[in-house]
Amino acid sequence: MEHAMIQQVVEYPEEHEVGGAMKVEVAYDGVHHSAFRYKHKKRSKVWEEYKPIFLNGKVQFAECLYCHNRLSCKDSNGTSHLWRHQKICPGKPESAERRQKDSYFPYVSVNEHSPVSPIDPVNVIISETLDDIGSVIPSRFKSKVWKEFTPVYVEGKLQAADCIHCQKRLSANKFGGRSHLSRHLLTCPGRRGMVHNQQKIPFHPSSAPTLKSRVHDELSPALTNGKVQIAEYSSKLLKTSSSGETTPIIRPIQMVPTHQFPPASDGTCLKKQKTSFVNVSADMSARKFGQETSYQELAKMIILHAHPFSIVEHEEMRRFIKNLNPMVDEISHNDMEEHCTALFQKEKANLKDIVTLSSRRVSLSASIWTSDGPEPTVNYLCLTAHFIGDDWKVHRIIIKFGMFWSSPTNLERIIHCKEASVPDSECGSYNVMLDAIRDWNLDHKILSFTSVGDVRNNANTVKLKEMLIEKKCLPIRGSLYNIACLDDVLNSVVSQGQADILRLVGDAAMEFFVAHASSPSSQQQLLEVISQMSLKCPQEDAKWWHKFYFRLEVLLQFKKSFPSENLLNPEDMNVAESICKILRTFYRVIEVISCPSSVTANIYFNEVWKVRTVLQEEASNGLGEISRLVMEMQEAFHGYWQDSYLWLSIPVVLDPRFKISFIEFRLKRAFGTNSESYLTEIRATVRELFNEYCNPTDRPSAASNSAALDADDNDSLDDWDQHLNEQASCQISTELDDYLEDGLVPRKDDFDILNWWMNHTTKYPTLAAIAQDILAMPASAVQSEAAFSSSGPVIPKHYSTLSIKTIEALVCARDWMK
């Protein structure tokens, strides 16, 4: 067989290019036969099906003995493509039988009368050969994606894939994979229309037009495109033999659905044709997944940026979404409201599991929110939970947002605003807080409660405290309940002297700014001074004293930068410096305690002590009018100190750098012999708290629920349990004594108190549990931005038209996403 194959090449003559640049040789017997055998001592058996073609003494092509198709055959190519061709060779008898048996893609054989050239790339289509179409399915076409693509071959190798829906050509070599074809189907515009139509008009193979009726319209362009592709590689493709035989080109033909073309007049159909159906269920599932993901992202955007729900119905927004993802359907504002509410419920369930399953107590804070507008006629109660999780990080989350008060005489609000119809049973601090406690299972997990003045002085808040104490839900007899918000107290202290402050230095400061705003050069000097300051400019709705303090800082900084200018007389300058010093301390303290990063409670005592110190210093500075002003502030501040020194001192005791020694040092220097009463109360409270944590029955449990609020507390064996607890406390109390007697930790700027207690949990297990709860107590119910605002925390005005449940979902979800 080998010798016969070589002998067949003799009929090919030698061909020399002009100049002898390239030489085409044939394997004459006795000339190149031995050389070929020498170079291919371990020839593959595939050469029994091919005859070699030599160029310049090397094998460059292999011509199939059955179909006379010439394939590239260089040394680096190998012979795997020759084996693949034999599997699908149209001239091979067993290959034809296999095509009839395993037809998958329809193929058409197009005869050529002349070699393909760039001048005439398209050959005549012989319609007689289209009656009997064979199909083959190579092993590479096992992927389902090939049901919707037409493979394109170049030199017998797969090079591209044509989408049957939009006719777009994509690369498809053996190294590229098929994932890009799947991605194309998700966004294919032709496929989307096809899916939509197929839901209405089912596809029937029998209704497909015959191939002959489409030779000159639909089939020809497809083959023409294929021929143009082949013509680009004409220098590497098939050459016509001297016998005049032509080489067929194999190209798949796609089946056209019935809704794209009318049926043929003769009613014939393609035989043995397997159509490529679109998997409607899979496509709809992917489309639904894409839509749900898009809706969730849109809901997050609306929540985070407080957009109205109606934004999804704006024509510009709909066009924007359609351009990003054509598979997303239009959505109404009611549907978007449901998506936002569902997102809130999902996140709430996750957070409730974290809080409920934790064995740690929770500190609560309450603030009053209003609707953004000139005259708000409704107040909302925002309840926030503060706790240190198992990761030993401080967490702060809003757990309830309800109605606190609403004007009953505002008819317009009743008509336009849904939350105006909230019943009285769901309004007020008592109802809102009790509902949150039961909903989040906090009945035996509350440690402290911090609130602004409107909530703290409310009768319903006191009523709730008495009920919780009666049910034994609060530690140390509720001593940490109803703590005053520090920034609210400082605002009240400053308000005590507002009239005197403005009278003493207000006019002089105003004259300075008027004079330096009159000319461009003066304005430039002023702006240069402000740029050198590290102080943030207040917002337009900032509190009056914040704006006034900022102007005093600018005035004093201007004096330092330009000492030669006479700004104020010496007496007014001294008054300005004294008032600025007080307001500076207030500003920095509020900035620290209301920091968004949620600081630990051990720093509050020192911040409050700064306020007490600056008031005491300015009261004795020798300026008569300033002294009277500061004494009024001191009187207001003293009331806060009397109510708060206890809860401010307990976290300091749990700070290993200070412990009780720091409290003794501060109080004895401030109050002298009167400090003993303070110290006695602090020591007793710390030990009482420690003993309660030693008692397992009083520890917060993950299994506690709202039913405990209504449980019967009468137990005939309470005295026996108390006796056992006292004995256990005596045995464990040495842990507290050992901690207080141990030496102090050196004070460093980078000291992390939470990390210290986490590392000493084994040595001080009970104190570590106390520290994990105590250090999460807040001193402020709002963050710094709202603390310095004259209106406090607000909700967008368009929220007022929503129900209170929807408002709660938006406010809480926004807080959780930040």
Side-chain angles (χ1 to χ4, degrees), residues 417-441:
C417 304
K418 295 180 181 179
E419 91 272 9
S421 59
V422 176
D424 294 338
S425 60
E426 299 180 11
C427 298
S429 60
Y430 181 88
N431 296 320
V432 173
M433 292 175 59
L434 184 60
D435 180 59
I437 291 173
R438 288 174 171 170
D439 186 23
W440 289 76
N441 300 317

PDB file of all heavy atoms in Angstrom, residues 417-441:
ATOM      1  N   CYS A 417     -50.151  61.827  54.268  1.00  0.00           N
ATOM      2  CA  CYS A 417     -49.121  61.000  54.905  1.00  0.00           C
ATOM      3  C   CYS A 417     -49.742  59.776  55.546  1.00  0.00           C
ATOM      4  O   CYS A 417     -50.637  59.885  56.385  1.00  0.00           O
ATOM      5  CB  CYS A 417     -48.332  61.802  55.943  1.00  0.00           C
ATOM      6  SG  CYS A 417     -47.589  63.289  55.250  1.00  0.00           S
ATOM      7  N   LYS A 418     -49.259  58.614  55.162  1.00  0.00           N
ATOM      8  CA  LYS A 418     -49.837  57.371  55.649  1.00  0.00           C
ATOM      9  C   LYS A 418     -49.551  57.139  57.128  1.00  0.00           C
ATOM     10  O   LYS A 418     -50.356  56.552  57.830  1.00  0.00           O
ATOM     11  CB  LYS A 418     -49.287  56.204  54.829  1.00  0.00           C
ATOM     12  CG  LYS A 418     -49.691  56.238  53.367  1.00  0.00           C
ATOM     13  CD  LYS A 418     -49.110  55.052  52.625  1.00  0.00           C
ATOM     14  CE  LYS A 418     -49.489  55.081  51.156  1.00  0.00           C
ATOM     15  NZ  LYS A 418     -48.918  53.941  50.419  1.00  0.00           N
ATOM     16  N   GLU A 419     -48.375  57.564  57.601  1.00  0.00           N
ATOM     17  CA  GLU A 419     -48.036  57.242  58.994  1.00  0.00           C
ATOM     18  C   GLU A 419     -48.826  58.079  59.983  1.00  0.00           C
ATOM     19  O   GLU A 419     -48.754  57.852  61.185  1.00  0.00           O
ATOM     20  CB  GLU A 419     -46.529  57.400  59.225  1.00  0.00           C
ATOM     21  CG  GLU A 419     -46.073  58.760  59.701  1.00  0.00           C
ATOM     22  CD  GLU A 419     -45.780  59.693  58.540  1.00  0.00           C
ATOM     23  OE1 GLU A 419     -46.088  59.331  57.399  1.00  0.00           O
ATOM     24  OE2 GLU A 419     -45.234  60.765  58.791  1.00  0.00           O
ATOM     25  N   ALA A 420     -49.590  59.079  59.475  1.00  0.00           N
ATOM     26  CA  ALA A 420     -50.400  59.870  60.394  1.00  0.00           C
ATOM     27  C   ALA A 420     -51.541  59.070  60.985  1.00  0.00           C
ATOM     28  O   ALA A 420     -52.143  59.468  61.977  1.00  0.00           O
ATOM     29  CB  ALA A 420     -50.945  61.104  59.666  1.00  0.00           C
ATOM     30  N   SER A 421     -51.850  57.930  60.360  1.00  0.00           N
ATOM     31  CA  SER A 421     -52.950  57.102  60.842  1.00  0.00           C
ATOM     32  C   SER A 421     -52.493  56.022  61.811  1.00  0.00           C
ATOM     33  O   SER A 421     -53.241  55.087  62.076  1.00  0.00           O
ATOM     34  CB  SER A 421     -53.658  56.438  59.646  1.00  0.00           C
ATOM     35  OG  SER A 421     -52.748  55.634  58.910  1.00  0.00           O
ATOM     36  N   VAL A 422     -51.290  56.115  62.336  1.00  0.00           N
ATOM     37  CA  VAL A 422     -50.791  55.132  63.292  1.00  0.00           C
ATOM     38  C   VAL A 422     -51.595  55.233  64.580  1.00  0.00           C
ATOM     39  O   VAL A 422     -51.750  56.318  65.137  1.00  0.00           O
ATOM     40  CB  VAL A 422     -49.293  55.362  63.575  1.00  0.00           C
ATOM     41  CG1 VAL A 422     -48.793  54.398  64.639  1.00  0.00           C
ATOM     42  CG2 VAL A 422     -48.495  55.204  62.299  1.00  0.00           C
ATOM     43  N   PRO A 423     -52.128  54.133  65.094  1.00  0.00           N
ATOM     44  CA  PRO A 423     -52.919  54.198  66.321  1.00  0.00           C
ATOM     45  C   PRO A 423     -52.076  54.559  67.534  1.00  0.00           C
ATOM     46  O   PRO A 423     -50.855  54.377  67.541  1.00  0.00           O
ATOM     47  CB  PRO A 423     -53.503  52.783  66.439  1.00  0.00           C
ATOM     48  CG  PRO A 423     -52.567  51.914  65.658  1.00  0.00           C
ATOM     49  CD  PRO A 423     -52.062  52.770  64.532  1.00  0.00           C
ATOM     50  N   ASP A 424     -52.745  55.067  68.575  1.00  0.00           N
ATOM     51  CA  ASP A 424     -52.034  55.471  69.789  1.00  0.00           C
ATOM     52  C   ASP A 424     -51.341  54.303  70.475  1.00  0.00           C
ATOM     53  O   ASP A 424     -50.340  54.477  71.171  1.00  0.00           O
ATOM     54  CB  ASP A 424     -53.014  56.135  70.762  1.00  0.00           C
ATOM     55  CG  ASP A 424     -53.558  57.448  70.212  1.00  0.00           C
ATOM     56  OD1 ASP A 424     -52.882  58.028  69.325  1.00  0.00           O
ATOM     57  OD2 ASP A 424     -54.636  57.881  70.653  1.00  0.00           O
ATOM     58  N   SER A 425     -51.876  53.089  70.277  1.00  0.00           N
ATOM     59  CA  SER A 425     -51.273  51.914  70.918  1.00  0.00           C
ATOM     60  C   SER A 425     -49.900  51.576  70.362  1.00  0.00           C
ATOM     61  O   SER A 425     -49.168  50.790  70.952  1.00  0.00           O
ATOM     62  CB  SER A 425     -52.199  50.701  70.758  1.00  0.00           C
ATOM     63  OG  SER A 425     -52.412  50.416  69.380  1.00  0.00           O
ATOM     64  N   GLU A 426     -49.543  52.158  69.201  1.00  0.00           N
ATOM     65  CA  GLU A 426     -48.244  51.911  68.593  1.00  0.00           C
ATOM     66  C   GLU A 426     -47.342  53.135  68.656  1.00  0.00           C
ATOM     67  O   GLU A 426     -46.254  53.120  68.075  1.00  0.00           O
ATOM     68  CB  GLU A 426     -48.426  51.475  67.128  1.00  0.00           C
ATOM     69  CG  GLU A 426     -49.222  50.187  66.968  1.00  0.00           C
ATOM     70  CD  GLU A 426     -49.382  49.791  65.512  1.00  0.00           C
ATOM     71  OE1 GLU A 426     -48.695  50.411  64.662  1.00  0.00           O
ATOM     72  OE2 GLU A 426     -50.174  48.889  65.219  1.00  0.00           O
ATOM     73  N   CYS A 427     -47.763  54.189  69.312  1.00  0.00           N
ATOM     74  CA  CYS A 427     -46.973  55.417  69.413  1.00  0.00           C
ATOM     75  C   CYS A 427     -46.396  55.553  70.822  1.00  0.00           C
ATOM     76  O   CYS A 427     -46.790  54.840  71.751  1.00  0.00           O
ATOM     77  CB  CYS A 427     -47.848  56.637  69.087  1.00  0.00           C
ATOM     78  SG  CYS A 427     -48.508  56.642  67.410  1.00  0.00           S
ATOM     79  N   GLY A 428     -45.497  56.503  70.988  1.00  0.00           N
ATOM     80  CA  GLY A 428     -44.928  56.787  72.297  1.00  0.00           C
ATOM     81  C   GLY A 428     -43.744  55.907  72.619  1.00  0.00           C
ATOM     82  O   GLY A 428     -43.556  54.827  72.046  1.00  0.00           O
ATOM     83  N   SER A 429     -42.919  56.376  73.553  1.00  0.00           N
ATOM     84  CA  SER A 429     -41.703  55.657  73.908  1.00  0.00           C
ATOM     85  C   SER A 429     -41.984  54.284  74.507  1.00  0.00           C
ATOM     86  O   SER A 429     -41.280  53.312  74.225  1.00  0.00           O
ATOM     87  CB  SER A 429     -40.874  56.498  74.887  1.00  0.00           C
ATOM     88  OG  SER A 429     -41.622  56.763  76.066  1.00  0.00           O
ATOM     89  N   TYR A 430     -43.032  54.184  75.325  1.00  0.00           N
ATOM     90  CA  TYR A 430     -43.328  52.913  75.985  1.00  0.00           C
ATOM     91  C   TYR A 430     -43.677  51.840  74.958  1.00  0.00           C
ATOM     92  O   TYR A 430     -43.113  50.732  74.972  1.00  0.00           O
ATOM     93  CB  TYR A 430     -44.469  53.101  76.980  1.00  0.00           C
ATOM     94  CG  TYR A 430     -44.840  51.846  77.733  1.00  0.00           C
ATOM     95  CD1 TYR A 430     -44.196  51.511  78.925  1.00  0.00           C
ATOM     96  CD2 TYR A 430     -45.838  50.990  77.265  1.00  0.00           C
ATOM     97  CE1 TYR A 430     -44.530  50.365  79.623  1.00  0.00           C
ATOM     98  CE2 TYR A 430     -46.177  49.835  77.948  1.00  0.00           C
ATOM     99  CZ  TYR A 430     -45.518  49.522  79.129  1.00  0.00           C
ATOM    100  OH  TYR A 430     -45.845  48.378  79.809  1.00  0.00           O
ATOM    101  N   ASN A 431     -44.601  52.136  74.049  1.00  0.00           N
ATOM    102  CA  ASN A 431     -45.059  51.140  73.079  1.00  0.00           C
ATOM    103  C   ASN A 431     -43.963  50.772  72.080  1.00  0.00           C
ATOM    104  O   ASN A 431     -43.774  49.599  71.750  1.00  0.00           O
ATOM    105  CB  ASN A 431     -46.287  51.678  72.332  1.00  0.00           C
ATOM    106  CG  ASN A 431     -47.471  51.908  73.246  1.00  0.00           C
ATOM    107  OD1 ASN A 431     -47.733  51.110  74.138  1.00  0.00           O
ATOM    108  ND2 ASN A 431     -48.174  53.010  73.052  1.00  0.00           N
ATOM    109  N   VAL A 432     -43.237  51.781  71.611  1.00  0.00           N
ATOM    110  CA  VAL A 432     -42.196  51.504  70.619  1.00  0.00           C
ATOM    111  C   VAL A 432     -41.073  50.673  71.232  1.00  0.00           C
ATOM    112  O   VAL A 432     -40.609  49.686  70.643  1.00  0.00           O
ATOM    113  CB  VAL A 432     -41.648  52.823  70.040  1.00  0.00           C
ATOM    114  CG1 VAL A 432     -40.463  52.551  69.132  1.00  0.00           C
ATOM    115  CG2 VAL A 432     -42.734  53.558  69.269  1.00  0.00           C
ATOM    116  N   MET A 433     -40.639  51.042  72.423  1.00  0.00           N
ATOM    117  CA  MET A 433     -39.528  50.329  73.048  1.00  0.00           C
ATOM    118  C   MET A 433     -39.931  48.933  73.493  1.00  0.00           C
ATOM    119  O   MET A 433     -39.166  47.972  73.335  1.00  0.00           O
ATOM    120  CB  MET A 433     -39.007  51.131  74.233  1.00  0.00           C
ATOM    121  CG  MET A 433     -38.320  52.435  73.845  1.00  0.00           C
ATOM    122  SD  MET A 433     -37.847  53.422  75.270  1.00  0.00           S
ATOM    123  CE  MET A 433     -36.760  52.290  76.107  1.00  0.00           C
ATOM    124  N   LEU A 434     -41.119  48.784  74.037  1.00  0.00           N
ATOM    125  CA  LEU A 434     -41.561  47.468  74.473  1.00  0.00           C
ATOM    126  C   LEU A 434     -41.718  46.527  73.284  1.00  0.00           C
ATOM    127  O   LEU A 434     -41.374  45.341  73.370  1.00  0.00           O
ATOM    128  CB  LEU A 434     -42.884  47.579  75.231  1.00  0.00           C
ATOM    129  CG  LEU A 434     -43.422  46.278  75.846  1.00  0.00           C
ATOM    130  CD1 LEU A 434     -42.420  45.717  76.848  1.00  0.00           C
ATOM    131  CD2 LEU A 434     -44.779  46.508  76.509  1.00  0.00           C
ATOM    132  N   ASP A 435     -42.209  47.060  72.163  1.00  0.00           N
ATOM    133  CA  ASP A 435     -42.333  46.240  70.963  1.00  0.00           C
ATOM    134  C   ASP A 435     -40.960  45.795  70.463  1.00  0.00           C
ATOM    135  O   ASP A 435     -40.780  44.642  70.038  1.00  0.00           O
ATOM    136  CB  ASP A 435     -43.060  47.033  69.878  1.00  0.00           C
ATOM    137  CG  ASP A 435     -43.232  46.232  68.600  1.00  0.00           C
ATOM    138  OD1 ASP A 435     -43.857  45.164  68.645  1.00  0.00           O
ATOM    139  OD2 ASP A 435     -42.714  46.668  67.552  1.00  0.00           O
ATOM    140  N   ALA A 436     -39.971  46.670  70.531  1.00  0.00           N
ATOM    141  CA  ALA A 436     -38.617  46.305  70.101  1.00  0.00           C
ATOM    142  C   ALA A 436     -37.997  45.273  71.028  1.00  0.00           C
ATOM    143  O   ALA A 436     -37.322  44.335  70.578  1.00  0.00           O
ATOM    144  CB  ALA A 436     -37.744  47.553  70.039  1.00  0.00           C
ATOM    145  N   ILE A 437     -38.217  45.429  72.331  1.00  0.00           N
ATOM    146  CA  ILE A 437     -37.649  44.483  73.297  1.00  0.00           C
ATOM    147  C   ILE A 437     -38.198  43.085  73.068  1.00  0.00           C
ATOM    148  O   ILE A 437     -37.460  42.084  73.104  1.00  0.00           O
ATOM    149  CB  ILE A 437     -37.933  44.961  74.734  1.00  0.00           C
ATOM    150  CG1 ILE A 437     -37.125  46.237  75.025  1.00  0.00           C
ATOM    151  CG2 ILE A 437     -37.589  43.881  75.749  1.00  0.00           C
ATOM    152  CD1 ILE A 437     -37.474  46.881  76.346  1.00  0.00           C
ATOM    153  N   ARG A 438     -39.487  42.994  72.818  1.00  0.00           N
ATOM    154  CA  ARG A 438     -40.091  41.687  72.580  1.00  0.00           C
ATOM    155  C   ARG A 438     -39.703  41.127  71.223  1.00  0.00           C
ATOM    156  O   ARG A 438     -39.466  39.922  71.079  1.00  0.00           O
ATOM    157  CB  ARG A 438     -41.613  41.809  72.694  1.00  0.00           C
ATOM    158  CG  ARG A 438     -42.095  42.010  74.128  1.00  0.00           C
ATOM    159  CD  ARG A 438     -43.581  42.268  74.177  1.00  0.00           C
ATOM    160  NE  ARG A 438     -44.076  42.245  75.549  1.00  0.00           N
ATOM    161  CZ  ARG A 438     -45.308  42.624  75.908  1.00  0.00           C
ATOM    162  NH1 ARG A 438     -46.149  43.072  74.979  1.00  0.00           N
ATOM    163  NH2 ARG A 438     -45.686  42.565  77.169  1.00  0.00           N
ATOM    164  N   ASP A 439     -39.638  41.986  70.213  1.00  0.00           N
ATOM    165  CA  ASP A 439     -39.325  41.529  68.865  1.00  0.00           C
ATOM    166  C   ASP A 439     -37.903  40.995  68.771  1.00  0.00           C
ATOM    167  O   ASP A 439     -37.642  40.003  68.078  1.00  0.00           O
ATOM    168  CB  ASP A 439     -39.536  42.685  67.876  1.00  0.00           C
ATOM    169  CG  ASP A 439     -39.376  42.254  66.433  1.00  0.00           C
ATOM    170  OD1 ASP A 439     -39.533  41.050  66.151  1.00  0.00           O
ATOM    171  OD2 ASP A 439     -39.100  43.111  65.582  1.00  0.00           O
ATOM    172  N   TRP A 440     -36.969  41.616  69.461  1.00  0.00           N
ATOM    173  CA  TRP A 440     -35.569  41.218  69.399  1.00  0.00           C
ATOM    174  C   TRP A 440     -35.135  40.355  70.588  1.00  0.00           C
ATOM    175  O   TRP A 440     -33.939  40.093  70.760  1.00  0.00           O
ATOM    176  CB  TRP A 440     -34.674  42.457  69.327  1.00  0.00           C
ATOM    177  CG  TRP A 440     -34.763  43.166  68.011  1.00  0.00           C
ATOM    178  CD1 TRP A 440     -35.769  43.973  67.572  1.00  0.00           C
ATOM    179  CD2 TRP A 440     -33.809  43.118  66.958  1.00  0.00           C
ATOM    180  NE1 TRP A 440     -35.504  44.439  66.316  1.00  0.00           N
ATOM    181  CE2 TRP A 440     -34.305  43.946  65.899  1.00  0.00           C
ATOM    182  CE3 TRP A 440     -32.569  42.498  66.781  1.00  0.00           C
ATOM    183  CZ2 TRP A 440     -33.615  44.128  64.713  1.00  0.00           C
ATOM    184  CZ3 TRP A 440     -31.886  42.688  65.593  1.00  0.00           C
ATOM    185  CH2 TRP A 440     -32.403  43.484  64.577  1.00  0.00           C
ATOM    186  N   ASN A 441     -36.103  39.925  71.421  1.00  0.00           N
ATOM    187  CA  ASN A 441     -35.800  39.037  72.558  1.00  0.00           C
ATOM    188  C   ASN A 441     -34.748  39.633  73.494  1.00  0.00           C
ATOM    189  O   ASN A 441     -33.749  38.997  73.850  1.00  0.00           O
ATOM    190  CB  ASN A 441     -35.326  37.664  72.058  1.00  0.00           C
ATOM    191  CG  ASN A 441     -36.348  36.957  71.203  1.00  0.00           C
ATOM    192  OD1 ASN A 441     -37.535  36.951  71.519  1.00  0.00           O
ATOM    193  ND2 ASN A 441     -35.913  36.380  70.104  1.00  0.00           N
TER     194      ASN A 441
END
